[in-house]
Amino acid sequence: MEAHALTIRLTNKVEFPFLVLLISGGHCLLALARGVSDFLLLGKSLDIAPGDMLDKVARRLSLIRHPECSAMSGGKAIEHLAKQGNRFHFDISPPMQHAKNCDFSFSGLQHVIDKIITQKEKEEGIEKGQILSSAADIAAAVQHTTACHVAKRTHRAILFCKQRDLLCQSNAVLVVSGGVASNLYIRRALEIVADATQCTLLCPPPKLCTDNGIMIAWNGIERLRAGLGILHDVEGIRYEPKCPLGVDISKEVGEAAIKVPRLKMKI
């Protein structure tokens, strides 16, 4: 996760501090990067990651059997098909609307979409595994709801950081990294937030968002330059499969209960 956060500094001259939104198939979090190994965790997914959820929806819609989507990953198939759909055909509320924090949740949204698909299969008289006539509308709805959810939590994170003087009041940088960052619809929603909060939105090239080798190597260079975590003796090193990122202040963010102004998502 640290490598994801720092990758933007490989391609852009970005000074600390900056806000990081990591959205991928395995992670979803918001953190303030104050240094190479100095992070404040503002919020994270309480269940599954957005990329995982989009992949599961694509599988439930059997998009691998769709002639236009058969060679695409689940997330890419959703993004492609959504262009042909009506995002307002299904009325789906974004998750956690009343929780004034920066945490995320996507499992409930997946459950709602699954119920919609099941109902539509009954209405159309088709079996599970066949393509629904409303597949594009469902793809558009889940993508739009995901974008709105991610955008609102990110908006609150920016407001919190500026309120606490953790970010510059103007020209602050929002970095969006991870595989889901390549979704142009979600990126556009984040651009709307960035414009409204006088932030600059930066995204690493898609290749760098998914190439773990490059990211880890760059993370090592950053640490070497900063003289952080350089070990000459690896005996006694303890490995952790899941290492927390920085200091978790998500409870403090929730206690601030910042109300987010409504933005028009004209995407």
Side-chain angles (χ1 to χ4, degrees):
M1 289 184 283
E2 182 179 299
H4 267 294
L6 297 175
T7 300
I8 191 65
R9 285 165 51 88
L10 174 60
T11 57
N12 298 73
K13 188 176 181 180
V14 181
E15 301 295 335
F16 298 108
F18 57 87
L19 187 66
V20 178
L21 168 65
L22 170 56
I23 41 176
S24 67
H27 301 285
C28 185
L29 60 82
L30 278 160
L32 181 73
R34 301 191 297 182
V36 170
S37 188
D38 183 4
F39 295 88
L40 295 178
L41 182 64
L42 306 173
K44 63 183 184 300
S45 176
L46 302 178
D47 36 65
I48 62 176
D52 183 28
M53 183 271 297
L54 292 172
D55 284 344
K56 287 176 178 176
V57 171
R59 285 197 295 272
R60 183 65 183 85
L61 286 170
S62 301
L63 296 189
I64 195 170
R65 298 185 180 184
H66 195 288
E68 296 179 20
C69 307
S70 59
M72 298 178 182
S73 65
K76 284 294 182 184
I78 292 290
E79 182 179 8
H80 174 79
L81 206 59
K83 296 174 184 176
Q84 306 168 25
N86 177 5
R87 68 189 188 189
F88 299 118
H89 187 82
F90 298 98
D91 185 18
I92 305 173
S93 299
M96 302 179 69
Q97 288 194 92
H98 302 295
K100 292 184 174 64
N101 55 34
C102 290
D103 289 326
F104 304 85
S105 175
F106 298 96
S107 62
L109 175 57
Q110 181 195 333
H111 180 65
V112 169
I113 294 296
D114 188 62
K115 288 179 65 176
I116 290 173
I117 294 172
T118 300
Q119 180 61 36
K120 285 297 175 182
E121 286 172 340
K122 290 180 181 178
E123 291 177 7
E124 295 187 18
I126 66 173
E127 295 181 358
K128 186 176 180 179
Q130 294 179 292
I131 304 296
L132 286 168
S133 64
S134 56
D137 292 335
I138 293 172
V142 70
Q143 179 177 253
H144 180 69
T145 307
T146 300
C148 290
H149 180 46
V150 170
K152 187 172 184 178
R153 316 318 272 186
T154 304
H155 194 171
R156 179 173 288 113
I158 294 171
L159 296 179
F160 174 84
C161 289
K162 289 191 173 186
Q163 188 182 88
R164 301 299 172 93
D165 290 325
L166 298 171
L167 277 177
C168 297
Q169 294 301 314
S170 60
N171 300 319
V173 173
L174 167 63
V175 173
V176 183
S177 187
V180 180
S182 63
N183 182 299
L184 297 181
Y185 190 94
I186 294 175
R187 190 182 296 191
R188 177 56 190 143
L190 292 167
E191 285 175 351
I192 292 171
V193 171
D195 290 343
T197 53
Q198 294 182 292
C199 289
T200 299
L201 176 67
L202 297 176
C203 302
K207 176 177 173 56
L208 294 184
C209 289
T210 55
D211 192 324
N212 289 337
I214 293 177
M215 288 191 291
I216 295 299
W218 175 251
N219 195 177
I221 291 172
E222 288 268 45
R223 281 178 163 267
L224 181 62
R225 287 174 174 172
L228 296 170
I230 309 303
L231 303 176
H232 301 285
D233 183 3
V234 295
E235 286 190 21
I237 295 296
R238 182 168 56 90
Y239 298 93
E240 295 184 22
K242 288 188 177 181
C243 183
L245 180 68
V247 178
D248 188 345
I249 63 166
S250 57
K251 184 178 179 181
E252 184 180 337
V253 176
E255 289 172 349
I258 295 174
K259 187 175 181 179
V260 176
R262 188 169 184 175
L263 298 178
K264 289 185 178 180
M265 290 294 167
K266 294 182 178 180
I267 308 173

